[in-house]
Amino acid sequence: MTELNLPSYSIETELGNSRSDSAPVPDAISTIPVAQPAPDDKPARPHRRRSWAEPYKIKVVEPLKITTRAERERAIAEAGYNTFLLRSEDVYIDLLTDSGTAAMSDYQWAGMMMGDESYAGSKNFYNLEEKIQKYYGYSYIIPTHQGRGAENILSQILIKPGDYVPGNMYFTTTRLHQELAGGTFVDVIIDEAHDPASLHPFKGNIDLQKLTDTIDRVGAARIPYISVAGTVNMAGGQPMSMANMREVYQIAQRYGIRIILDATRAVENAYFIQQREADYHHQTIAAILREFCAYTDGCTMSGKKDALVNIGGWLALNDPELYEEASNLVVIYEGLHTYGGMAGRDMEAMARGIEESVQDEHIRARVGQVEYLGQKLIDWKIPVVVPIGGHAIYLDAKAFLPHIPQDYFPAQRLAAELYLEAGIRTMERGIVSAGRNKETGDHYYPNLELVRLTIPRRVYTQAHMDLTAEAVEEVYYNRDRLEGLMMIHEPKYLRFFQARFALKSPVS
Ligand SMILES: *Cc1c(COP(=O)(O)O)cnc(C)c1O
């Protein structure tokens, strides 16, 4: 374990924008008109709009193809009613994922021209290392081609067969690497995370009782680390509080167990801490991120999310001996420890993306855009998972299409219909994604039957969000007309990627 060195300062970011202690608390993100009580002598204001707008302007555009309904009917039928099988050029607004889909800034693109493509010791590596040390606070950095590359190396150096890894809900690749290394994942997230209607402000929190019960049951020696994620993807992008992180840290200290952070969405998590935890209203995102990471011993990171790049990731550690082992392994799986599968120019873009990602204005607009779309749908009484998370809106397909039994794939049908309605591409997260029970051969019937609308960073405008909300509302209005789907081709592994479907009865 490394000594905790709590940052008692606020970090000056190179792009300015640090929040001084006297800076005002940011306005709540709300563009929804609120009737204000009239002060004594003034007439009531029916609308008081406290807008935010994107902290950038657009310099380069990528034209989108506008398709007709007939073209979309053909495209989705050809894709077997599976949005993963659509060609992206047939999509108008692509909300499939926020992974690697961000728009880079002119500052990042300029950095791409500064790529030092030397095999060893690229200057871009040293810049990346410096930025991660500065904003995340870890001592040793190893670049990897993306997040799962870091997860593979970390799992191999820390996990032995028979070990247990407690965590706040799993992420697909993270858990798989833990299991491949011989470990067993134990979910210790609070119960509220599994309830789509619970309004708990930190549904990503770890249940401390579940954690200590697990430690007492298997013994601290069999727990190589506690796996902690900032904004839990699989729970709907729900954050973990600083208070909870501090308590987990104290427990880990008591038992002498490491904490490893999945830092993929830790900046978004810092934003929720700033908004929802009273002690942090006046702190910068950069300072909150540093403190959050300071309670951990290292991290894996997918740069394709918070760090505003199309490809890249890293592994960070504080322990020099672990770093030594990891830098040895990375040579086998990724590349030399000063490039880890990344081009010099890509490391430069990621270094600059990190700087931009911790700007308060950036993250406020990023999460604000997600909340803007979510709030519209809530106001229109459309069933969504609440509270709205950091990167996506999840439609509750069971409540949306209650007349379609889960066997007929309501979320898959809804995702197909959003494409038919307006060329919007989303992703099923329900029975198709859940797969089948290996022993019985039956479908798993997950509680949550969802459609995910994932918002790429800095890519779409508020008008795109309005159009998306209107399309969802249109489909909701006409929902009675929809029938389910039948699966006509089922791949053996991760079937949601390549399964094909047919309409139960033709479009009317
Ligand atoms: C995307 C993601 C990963 C894996 O990262 P890749 O870059 O896709 O390999 C790990 N954890 C979380 C929380 C993620 O969202």
Side-chain angles (χ1 to χ4, degrees):
M1 301 285 300
T2 46
E3 272 299 304
L4 174 64
N5 199 355
L6 269 188
S8 55
Y9 47 86
S10 97
I11 293 165
E12 278 292 328
T13 55
E14 299 202 339
L15 305 178
N17 297 338
S18 105
R19 180 182 299 285
S20 78
D21 272 347
S22 58
V25 180
D27 285 347
I29 286 171
S30 171
T31 51
I32 310 303
V34 183
Q36 299 293 311
D40 306 339
D41 49 348
K42 289 192 178 173
R45 288 161 77 189
H47 297 288
R48 177 160 171 259
R49 196 180 149 99
R50 301 157 95 201
S51 295
W52 54 271
E54 291 77 3
Y56 51 81
K57 57 184 176 177
I58 296 166
K59 174 145 46 187
V60 177
V61 298
E62 179 183 336
L64 297 170
K65 188 164 114 186
I66 314 270
T67 50
T68 62
R69 171 112 194 170
E71 286 168 331
R72 292 194 294 277
E73 278 172 8
R74 201 162 50 238
I76 194 77
E78 268 171 28
Y81 295 89
N82 184 343
T83 51
F84 278 101
L85 300 179
L86 286 167
R87 288 166 182 251
S88 83
E89 64 173 357
D90 292 334
V91 172
Y92 180 41
I93 300 177
D94 202 344
L95 308 182
L96 188 71
T97 173
D98 66 335
S99 178
T101 53
M104 295 209 297
S105 66
D106 53 359
Y107 178 61
Q108 288 176 288
W109 278 107
M112 296 284 281
M113 290 302 291
M114 309 290 283
D116 168 5
E117 306 305 342
S118 312
Y119 189 87
S122 160
K123 71 177 181 196
N124 309 119
F125 165 74
Y126 293 106
N127 185 28
L128 175 64
E129 182 185 49
E130 188 192 311
K131 293 302 179 297
I132 298 169
Q133 287 167 341
K134 177 174 175 182
Y135 293 113
Y136 288 80
Y138 300 110
S139 307
Y140 305 103
I141 315 301
I142 295 173
T144 56
H145 77 285
Q146 55 186 83
R148 66 198 70 183
E151 291 167 353
N152 174 34
I153 292 163
L154 179 87
S155 300
Q156 288 203 39
I157 59 174
L158 286 180
I159 300 173
K160 296 185 303 299
D163 280 352
Y164 292 84
V165 185
N168 51 347
M169 212 175 253
Y170 73 100
F171 183 75
T172 50
T173 57
T174 319
R175 183 174 69 181
L176 195 56
H177 280 298
Q178 291 165 354
E179 288 171 348
L180 286 172
T184 302
F185 172 80
V186 185
D187 189 3
V188 293
I189 202 164
I190 57 171
D191 289 339
E192 285 87 341
H194 297 283
D195 174 5
S198 160
L199 283 166
H200 193 294
F202 290 103
K203 279 163 101 172
N205 277 358
I206 284 184
D207 184 320
L208 303 174
Q209 192 62 47
K210 287 186 194 171
L211 176 62
T212 48
D213 285 353
T214 305
I215 300 171
D216 291 338
R217 183 165 58 82
V218 305
R222 305 208 23 217
I223 299 180
Y225 62 93
I226 300 166
S227 180
V228 161
T231 77
V232 180
N233 192 344
M234 302 303 275
Q238 303 293 334
M240 177 178 179
S241 72
M242 190 74 87
N244 186 247
M245 177 57 121
R246 208 176 290 122
E247 285 171 317
V248 171
Y249 170 75
Q250 280 155 4
I251 291 171
Q253 287 276 291
R254 194 157 79 233
Y255 289 93
I257 302 173
R258 286 186 198 86
I259 301 177
I260 300 289
L261 176 67
D262 181 340
T264 301
R265 300 169 189 283
V267 179
E268 288 169 3
N269 199 84
Y271 176 75
F272 286 112
I273 289 175
Q274 186 190 58
Q275 295 295 306
R276 297 180 186 170
E277 240 174 317
D279 293 350
Y280 293 90
H281 286 341
H282 293 280
Q283 290 209 30
T284 61
I285 291 300
I288 295 169
L289 179 68
R290 267 297 285 259
E291 182 181 339
F292 199 75
C293 293
Y295 296 118
T296 71
D297 300 277
C299 81
T300 56
M301 173 76 184
S302 170
K304 301 172 70 172
K305 321 294 174 45
D306 275 354
L308 297 166
V309 286
N310 306 119
I311 195 74
W314 74 77
L315 171 63
L317 294 160
N318 287 335
D319 180 332
E321 282 169 29
L322 285 181
Y323 166 71
E324 175 67 28
E325 268 184 72
S327 61
N328 215 274
L329 267 192
V330 77
V331 183
I332 308 171
Y333 294 103
E334 305 280 319
L336 193 67
H337 62 284
T338 56
Y339 77 86
M342 296 187 73
R345 55 179 172 269
D346 289 329
M347 289 192 281
E348 187 61 31
M350 192 157 73
R352 294 178 179 216
I354 291 166
E355 283 179 83
E356 294 182 348
S357 74
V358 299
Q359 302 301 313
D360 285 50
E361 286 70 18
H362 159 72
I363 196 66
R364 180 183 183 211
R366 189 287 185 275
V367 180
Q369 188 176 46
V370 177
E371 291 185 327
Y372 173 81
L373 174 58
Q375 191 58 50
K376 264 204 158 172
L377 297 177
I378 290 171
D379 290 346
W380 293 348
K381 309 260 184 302
I382 291 164
V384 297
V385 175
V386 288
I388 302 302
H391 68 295
I393 314 297
Y394 292 76
L395 302 177
D396 181 350
K398 271 189 189 170
F400 203 114
L401 299 172
H403 56 287
I404 302 184
Q406 208 168 5
D407 285 292
Y408 292 103
F409 314 109
Q412 188 79 27
R413 181 66 186 87
L414 180 52
E417 192 61 23
L418 287 171
Y419 176 73
L420 282 168
E421 177 62 35
I424 296 166
R425 172 153 69 173
T426 57
M427 185 192 291
E428 192 260 12
R429 286 277 103 145
I431 185 168
V432 183
S433 300
R436 285 184 190 273
N437 182 317
K438 276 196 208 91
E439 266 109 63
T440 66
D442 291 341
H443 295 300
Y444 285 116
Y445 290 86
N447 238 334
L448 298 179
E449 178 75 20
L450 308 175
V451 172
R452 189 179 83 178
L453 285 67
T454 337
I455 315 300
R457 295 166 182 78
R458 304 194 295 205
V459 171
Y460 293 114
T461 64
Q462 189 161 310
H464 289 116
M465 296 301 106
D466 289 340
L467 186 146
T468 300
E470 288 158 15
V472 172
E473 198 276 335
E474 186 70 28
V475 172
Y476 190 60
Y477 184 73
N478 292 312
R479 64 192 181 279
D480 297 348
R481 284 204 234 133
L482 298 184
E483 289 186 62
L485 295 168
M486 291 170 309
M487 203 186 312
I488 54 174
H489 167 69
E490 180 173 358
K492 213 161 150 203
Y493 305 108
L494 300 177
R495 63 183 183 178
F496 59 93
F497 282 126
Q498 291 150 338
R500 301 183 71 83
F501 301 82
L503 292 174
K504 252 189 95 207
S505 48
V507 194
S508 52

